[in-house]
Amino acid sequence: MKIKEIFNNVYEIDLGDGIKRIGTKSLVPSKRVYGEKLIEIDGIEYRIWNPNKSKLSAAIINGLKNMPIKRGSKVLYLGSSAGTTPSHVADITENSPIYSVEFAPRIMREFLEVCRDRKNLIPILGDANMPNTYSNIVETVDVIFEDVAQPNQGEILVKNAEWFLKKNGYGMISIKARSIDVVRDPKEIFKEQKEILIKGGFEIVDEVNIEPFEKDHILFVGIWKGE
Ligand code: SAM
């Protein structure tokens, strides 16, 4: 078993079977969030971060170069769902807050269980289209991560950046082509969303297609140059 830190607090874990795996140090040892594998190396427990269950893991495995979420980063996470990816983000930032917005009450109930163990996850039942409604809770952040599968995905990131992202902070967005249009060529849709991000104030510094883990998905990373 070999381990190497590939980004701050993100590890490549080699179990000797030739499969590329990444993981995070568990903030809550011996507890699983979504059935992930737990591995102990030199007395430290790591959670294997499954690329089939998390687009951020898929992007890292597929060669993401810019990973702005680090130990100590403040994050606004849009579309937390039941907390699969947010739980790994919480492991990475350690004591820093992840303001986690989710608009489906039933899913939020599941997410609350994850927040009970990871005190740096701050659940917000809200609509990512309306950042003003949670502006009394969220502070200025270093990174916004968005995974909401909505037709106006790019616009949602820009709106939230205007409210909460520090100058030169990072926006990360997973774009699902089929949430925007089921018949158009995904490449055209990605180009269009990228233009929305650039016009809105982002300089795009990275883009990673996350196939085969997710079909017709791309992850963009941009630096916020807006006001
Ligand atoms: N990011 C999660 C992960 O990797 O663990 C998965 C997110 S899932 C693809 C998308 C989530 O976004 C769903 O739980 C959905 O309810 C939520 N969502 C969709 N539109 C939203 C909106 N406008 N505001 C807040 N949450 C939204």
Side-chain angles (χ1 to χ4, degrees):
M1 215 148 41
K2 277 191 237 145
I3 185 151
K4 185 170 114 197
E5 190 169 12
I6 51 169
F7 291 117
N8 188 287
N9 241 353
V10 177
Y11 300 84
E12 191 174 306
I13 297 170
D14 180 356
L15 300 181
D17 59 4
I19 298 173
K20 186 167 176 179
R21 290 189 179 83
I22 59 169
T24 55
K25 269 188 212 165
S26 181
L27 267 189
V28 191
S30 82
K31 272 211 161 176
R32 289 182 175 82
V33 174
Y34 59 99
E36 70 278 20
K37 204 177 175 74
L38 307 177
I39 303 239
E40 196 177 308
I41 304 172
D42 297 332
I44 296 172
E45 189 178 283
Y46 296 85
R47 300 164 59 226
I48 299 290
W49 192 355
N50 187 339
N52 294 301
K53 300 258 170 79
S54 166
K55 289 155 208 151
L56 183 50
S57 169
I60 294 172
I61 289 196
N62 276 7
L64 183 79
K65 290 183 203 71
N66 287 270
M67 173 54 176
I69 302 172
K70 303 174 165 55
R71 193 182 283 109
S73 301
K74 290 179 181 165
V75 179
L76 170 60
Y77 193 110
L78 305 172
S80 59
S81 194
T84 298
T85 304
S87 69
H88 285 284
V89 172
D91 287 351
I92 297 170
T93 69
E94 293 183 354
N95 291 319
S96 273
I98 296 120
Y99 299 97
S100 308
V101 180
E102 169 57 53
F103 77 171
R106 189 191 58 77
I107 297 174
M108 177 52 87
R109 275 198 292 278
E110 280 177 48
F111 181 51
L112 288 177
E113 291 300 314
V114 179
C115 298
R116 209 156 280 157
D117 289 330
R118 286 180 167 73
K119 301 291 182 210
N120 56 345
L121 284 173
I122 298 162
I124 298 171
L125 182 64
D127 183 344
N129 269 299
M130 297 194 285
N132 57 310
T133 58
Y134 43 86
S135 62
N136 55 338
I137 304 171
V138 179
E139 60 186 313
T140 300
V141 296
D142 304 300
V143 184
I144 300 179
F145 185 92
E146 179 189 328
D147 180 16
V148 295
Q150 288 283 332
N152 62 335
Q153 290 163 78
E155 188 199 324
I156 290 176
L157 182 60
V158 171
K159 267 196 224 175
N160 279 272
E162 283 167 350
W163 275 87
F164 307 113
L165 193 53
K166 74 172 191 194
K167 183 107 182 162
N168 293 319
Y170 284 81
M172 307 181 85
I173 181 168
S174 160
I175 308 264
K176 179 178 177 182
R178 274 177 301 146
S179 297
I180 294 173
D181 195 317
V182 282
V183 287
R184 270 171 63 208
D185 180 358
K187 283 202 194 81
E188 247 180 60
I189 294 172
F190 296 152
K191 189 162 166 256
E192 190 181 274
Q193 291 295 308
K194 188 175 174 179
E195 273 159 21
I196 289 171
L197 296 173
I198 294 170
K199 277 209 188 96
F202 281 99
E203 179 192 330
I204 302 300
V205 292
D206 212 347
E207 55 185 87
V208 185
N209 190 304
I210 57 171
E211 289 200 32
F213 304 109
E214 295 278 353
K215 194 171 153 36
D216 300 334
H217 275 70
I218 203 165
L219 188 126
F220 287 118
V221 182
I223 301 182
W224 180 237
K225 299 292 178 187
E227 298 299 326

